Amino acid sequence: MPRPRRPNHFVAIRLLEKEFRQASVQIRDYLTRLVSGLAEHFVPVETLHISLCLLRLDTQADVQRARDALQEFGFNNRRLLPPPLVLSFPHGLRDFKSTVLYLQPEPLARLHALARSLERAFKDKGLSVTCPSENLCPKGIKLHATLAKVRKLPKGTEAGSQTVQCIPEELYSQAPAADFGCQVVDTLELCSTGKARGCDGFYNTLAAIRLH
């Protein structure tokens, strides 16, 4: 059975609030003072986000259908006049298999409902949602905000004395409490996963919608 193709686009909630970014930098600075090699594994503050939906778009026609689906989703959502979704991060730092340092947003149930509605909008256009929100890649992590990620070394590469291969709980649990504040979810952006970045340092954005 062929392996599913990796996603090459995603829909993001950008984490732009000053408190969130300051707290992220505070955690990064504290942990990198303890382990300097961790610095390269932290997500740049300009790209901090929550991925709601991961997509595989192979053609310009696919990209246009995704744009159309997102625009229609935004129009329908604004027409319904839902109450604003305000995220907080009350659980502190968590890790996945000691390789991903992340925060879990709340209210998670409402965020998952938004993600499922978005997935349906894309699937109704015949598009491929590669990682549904209930089992977001990597397996086992639900919707989350990644702060740092340690990637596996390429095959045949030996770990040096300064190579960081994990982020153990006993390391990050020493970090002082940080206030990540609240984030109002009012905009969704369709982005590509490539290395290209916009003038503000964020991923290349192909479309954006307002939810309210």
Side-chain angles (χ1 to χ4, degrees):
M1 183 176 178
R3 295 180 63 181
R5 292 175 298 172
R6 293 176 62 85
N8 57 4
H9 292 77
F10 62 99
V11 176
I13 299 169
R14 294 185 67 175
L15 298 170
L16 296 167
E17 294 296 333
K18 182 179 179 181
E19 292 84 357
F20 190 95
R21 292 189 167 196
Q22 287 179 335
S24 301
V25 170
Q26 176 185 332
I27 295 297
R28 180 196 68 194
D29 290 350
Y30 178 83
L31 293 181
T32 54
R33 281 197 297 270
L34 297 178
V35 182
S36 61
L38 268 176
E40 65 184 275
H41 301 290
F42 270 84
V43 175
V45 292
E46 297 84 4
T47 62
L48 289 166
H49 69 280
I50 295 170
S51 294
L52 278 182
C53 191
L54 305 179
L55 302 158
R56 180 73 196 191
L57 308 176
D58 289 318
T59 67
Q60 284 302 312
D62 287 344
V63 171
Q64 188 56 54
R65 281 189 291 162
R67 284 194 181 109
D68 293 343
L70 189 63
Q71 295 294 342
E72 291 174 16
F73 180 84
F75 174 79
N76 291 331
N77 195 81
R78 291 191 298 272
R79 183 170 54 85
L80 294 172
L81 298 175
L85 173 56
V86 181
L87 301 179
S88 62
F89 304 88
H91 306 297
L93 300 171
R94 295 183 171 185
D95 75 272
F96 175 73
K97 293 186 176 180
S98 297
T99 60
V100 177
L101 183 67
Y102 71 96
L103 295 165
Q104 179 182 301
E106 293 291 348
L108 191 59
R110 192 171 165 202
L111 193 60
H112 273 297
L114 175 63
R116 285 193 296 270
S117 297
L118 190 60
E119 289 164 12
R120 286 194 296 271
F122 286 123
K123 288 179 177 179
D124 286 347
K125 294 287 187 183
L127 296 169
S128 174
V129 178
T130 62
C131 293
S133 63
E134 295 294 351
N135 187 29
L136 207 66
C137 296
K139 292 179 181 178
I141 299 186
K142 296 184 183 295
L143 297 172
H144 64 285
T146 297
L147 299 184
K149 183 176 182 180
V150 177
R151 290 174 172 80
K152 292 181 180 179
L153 292 173
K155 287 185 178 180
T157 302
E158 292 188 6
S161 59
Q162 301 299 314
T163 302
V164 174
Q165 299 186 72
C166 65
I167 311 174
E169 183 178 359
E170 55 266 29
L171 176 65
Y172 68 78
S173 62
Q174 302 177 45
D179 182 4
F180 287 88
C182 295
Q183 175 79 42
V184 178
V185 180
D186 56 4
T187 303
L188 302 181
E189 300 185 27
L190 174 65
C191 307
S192 60
T193 61
K195 295 182 179 180
R197 297 290 183 267
C199 60
D200 59 357
F202 194 61
Y203 292 90
N204 186 32
T205 299
L206 308 177
I209 60 164
R210 305 266 320 167
L211 293 176
H212 303 98

